[in-house]
Amino acid sequence: MLGHTLLGLMVATASLVDARPPPHNVHAVAGNGTVKCPVVFDGRIAKTTVATDFDSYATSKFNAEYVKGKELKWSDIIKFPDVAATPRFDNASTKPFEVTISDKSIFQTQNGFRRAGLQFQGDTNTDSPGSKGVKTLHFSLKWDAQRALNLSHEYLLVWHEAADYSANQFNFEAGTIIGQSLAKDTYKVLNRKNQQIWSTAIDKTAWQNFAITLDFNKNTLQVYYSKDDEPLKSVTSAVSNDNSGNGQYQIGILKKPTGTSDVVNSGFQSRNLNEGLTYGSLFLEDSASSCVSL
Ligand SMILES: *[C@@H]1O[C@H](CO)[C@@H](O)[C@H](O)[C@H]1NC(C)=O
Ligand SMILES: *[C@@H]1O[C@H](CO)[C@@H](O)[C@H](O)[C@H]1NC(C)=O
Ligand SMILES: *[C@@H]1O[C@H](CO)[C@@H](O)[C@H](O)[C@H]1NC(C)=O
């Protein structure tokens, strides 16, 4: 009888344990891409990473304090959605992560924006290795239908901002670019002058892999692209772009408001916001001697 009760207890305990959500992405098929150039900043995170690891410098690969709403911690922002496969440059020991925005995603007093942007640790605003020589930023994106972006708005998703905050050397965006008549359901690369130099339709099921080579010596920018586990292909030539001004990469979401000429401080944002985008295969590699991992 006692044995039976004990057994019952053990079964109950076991089923309690089993009821916990499974570790994320455990069954995801790893990507088959090989990184062949030296990695300068690695934003690929270990499969064992938990959201609270993003809250401190000791355990995060990113700046633990920026750029986010002051009431939020990174562990409130980062999610780990289940994905069937990891993108091309994630392997069996790494996993993608989702960056989300909510009504609380107000950085400092920028009431017009909703934003949450990761910066690599070590990517200092001046004199960063990321703003010298020739560097390629790799990132892969996956749409989350549960936290869909509202493409009636303009979203910055990946960019490099000059040290004096006066400009972004490039913007990788989605949605409705304010003041321009471009298709809204695309990912687009804009140059320093905010002119689109390339775009592709947003695929709501596949991983979409991107790489942007910035030549800080020759002042050019080149885009590479593929889907799922396909090798990247160059989709632009090395187009002229003003890459001067140092600064930092930012990986995450900046959602602009609608209906204002002062996007930083005012305008319309929907309430009860619950939006996000999944990022993976994130790293910056050294493309000196034209090395780009495909
Ligand atoms: C990697 O290659 C293996 C073997 O060809 C394949 O089964 C797997 O699906 C590939 N990974 C991805 C993410 O496509
Ligand atoms: C997977 O990628 C990580 C991140 O770059 C790297 O540290 C690790 O060695 C890789 N693991 C394997 C098995 O290739
Ligand atoms: C999307 O944004 C537009 C413009 O701000 C807004 O009118 C609309 O209600 C939003 N849709 C959703 C589903 O939030």
Side-chain angles (χ1 to χ4, degrees):
M1 206 50 205
L2 183 65
H4 195 180
T5 311
L6 257 182
L7 189 65
L9 198 67
M10 282 165 71
V11 169
T13 311
S15 60
L16 261 184
V17 170
D18 288 345
R20 294 180 312 176
H24 300 286
N25 306 327
V26 160
H27 302 293
V29 177
N32 292 314
T34 305
V35 177
K36 57 172 193 171
C37 324
V39 172
V40 182
F41 298 128
D42 201 345
R44 289 168 296 176
I45 60 167
K47 193 156 258 176
T48 50
T49 302
V50 293
T52 48
D53 288 338
F54 283 77
D55 290 337
S56 91
Y57 284 90
T59 48
S60 181
K61 296 196 160 187
F62 306 98
N63 189 330
E65 278 150 28
Y66 290 90
V67 175
K68 57 178 181 59
K70 53 187 170 298
E71 291 176 37
L72 298 175
K73 291 184 291 202
W74 276 108
S75 52
D76 300 317
I77 297 166
I78 299 292
K79 314 277 178 210
F80 299 109
D82 286 325
V83 290
T86 64
R88 181 152 178 78
F89 295 107
D90 275 282
N91 62 32
S93 28
T94 64
K95 66 176 174 186
F97 54 87
E98 180 164 13
V99 176
T100 64
I101 52 170
S102 69
D103 296 349
K104 291 185 175 166
S105 302
I106 297 172
F107 174 61
Q108 295 177 344
T109 57
Q110 298 180 349
N111 288 300
F113 295 151
R114 298 292 177 271
R115 65 187 293 190
L118 291 161
Q119 300 170 329
F120 296 110
Q121 270 194 45
D123 190 18
T124 50
N125 198 31
T126 54
D127 206 35
S128 169
S131 307
K132 286 181 188 155
V134 189
K135 298 291 176 330
T136 300
L137 183 70
H138 286 262
F139 55 97
S140 299
L141 299 176
K142 196 163 200 304
W143 190 260
D144 181 355
Q146 307 304 311
R147 294 192 181 86
L149 306 182
N150 179 345
L151 297 173
S152 299
H153 285 249
E154 176 174 351
Y155 292 86
L156 276 65
L157 302 173
V158 176
W159 65 102
H160 191 278
E161 184 168 14
D164 66 1
Y165 311 121
S166 66
N168 295 344
Q169 283 91 345
F170 76 88
N171 286 325
F172 180 97
E173 301 206 29
T176 304
I177 308 300
I178 295 171
Q180 302 194 40
S181 44
L182 300 170
K184 66 177 185 176
D185 52 355
T186 62
Y187 291 125
K188 28 203 160 255
V189 177
L190 276 61
N191 66 13
R192 190 179 185 130
K193 296 173 181 162
N194 269 333
Q195 296 159 339
Q196 176 174 295
I197 58 171
W198 179 76
S199 71
T200 192
I202 295 174
D203 186 320
K204 294 188 177 166
T205 55
W207 275 105
Q208 291 177 282
N209 311 307
F210 307 91
I212 299 179
T213 301
L214 296 165
D215 188 326
F216 293 95
N217 303 321
K218 292 186 183 157
N219 277 315
T220 60
L221 176 164
Q222 184 165 12
V223 184
Y224 297 80
Y225 172 67
S226 78
K227 271 191 199 177
D228 290 326
D229 201 41
E230 288 163 16
L232 292 167
K233 288 201 177 91
S234 128
V235 288
T236 70
S237 57
V239 297
S240 165
N241 190 53
D242 179 1
N243 294 332
S244 67
N246 294 301
Q248 292 163 304
Y249 295 92
Q250 207 166 129
I251 298 96
I253 300 177
L254 186 157
K255 181 183 186 182
K256 291 187 182 175
T258 55
T260 177
S261 54
D262 180 11
V263 290
V264 180
N265 300 300
S266 64
F268 176 79
Q269 292 278 5
S270 302
R271 300 299 304 273
N272 304 318
L273 210 57
N274 180 25
E275 299 183 358
L277 195 64
T278 306
Y279 291 73
S281 291
L282 171 63
F283 61 99
L284 184 76
E285 70 184 355
D286 195 334
S287 292
S289 46
S290 306
C291 183
V292 177
S293 300
L294 303 175

